Amino acid sequence: MEDKVKQLHDILAGSSNIVFFGGAGVSTESGIPDFRSQDGLYHMKYKYPPETIISHSFFVHKPEEFYRFYKDKMLAPEAQPNKAHLALARLEQMGKLKAVITQNIDGLHQKAGSKKVLELHGSVLRNHCVKCNAPYSMEYVKNSEGVPRCEKCGGIVKPDVVLYEESLDTEVLEESVSYISNADVLIIGGTSLVVYPAAGLIDYFHGRKLVVINKSATPRDQAADLLIEDSIGKVLDEAIQGLSEES
């Protein structure tokens, strides 16, 4: 494993056009549950399956049930950035990392200090009234009784999160494609690469080195120039040691 971390260190040292594509595994080390692991949300027992609850139609027709699950399982205001978030922020500060493209909705990359973060599935930190579009904070939603309502018009407040049955933001998709297609190095981390269309963005990479860091197998393992099956926080933290001095 030390040899692979050294290989990653050398790849990072030799590039100033790196893009990171990440998923839920990046934030599990901050205590935020993922969906598909054995302890993930899909394996918990609810009145309805999680993928049904966090769908657009369920939000519209059963907002009380939606928010009961959403507040309990998808909001983690106490969560803090872990070693992976902090390492990526440092890589950006060094001028090496050009963008973080994330499927996560927790805002931890920005909290760690990353500036260029493309959120494919939105963010729990942003919320708006479906009637008048007035903005609301995560705290407002979290602390509301039942379904959060707009103080101005009484409309339901909806999180700016891409639910099942909803489309991804076109501008975010196009910008993500641009960064990936122009990258010299693409690091895929903490994602099973089974959620589309997000996972399909990897097809646009034609750069020099593809790195995959994930505890379980992904469909891109065979194509990777470097495959590391370990904790992403530990790997990135060790791999960036000494980089600032070399840059």
Side-chain angles (χ1 to χ4, degrees), residues 152-165:
K152 297 179 179 179
C153 73
I156 293 178
V157 174
K158 181 182 183 295
D160 288 346
V161 169
V162 179
L163 304 176
Y164 285 100
E165 305 166 352

Side-chain angles (χ1 to χ4, degrees), residues 120-138:
L120 294 171
H121 297 150
S123 173
V124 298
L125 303 182
R126 300 186 301 270
N127 305 271
H128 68 279
C129 171
V130 297
K131 285 187 177 180
C132 72
N133 211 39
Y136 287 92
S137 67
M138 175 178 65

Side-chain angles (χ1 to χ4, degrees), residues 135-193:
Y136 287 92
S137 67
M138 175 178 65
E139 289 74 22
Y140 182 86
V141 171
K142 179 79 172 174
N143 297 329
S144 63
E145 289 289 333
V147 178
R149 295 277 179 177
C150 178
E151 294 178 336
K152 297 179 179 179
C153 73
I156 293 178
V157 174
K158 181 182 183 295
D160 288 346
V161 169
V162 179
L163 304 176
Y164 285 100
E165 305 166 352
E166 294 181 344
S167 300
L168 273 63
D169 184 278
T170 303
E171 288 186 12
V172 174
L173 275 175
E174 289 177 352
E175 195 171 4
S176 298
V177 167
S178 177
Y179 274 105
I180 289 173
S181 61
N182 288 299
D184 174 49
V185 173
L186 178 63
I187 302 173
I188 299 172
T191 174
S192 54
L193 291 177

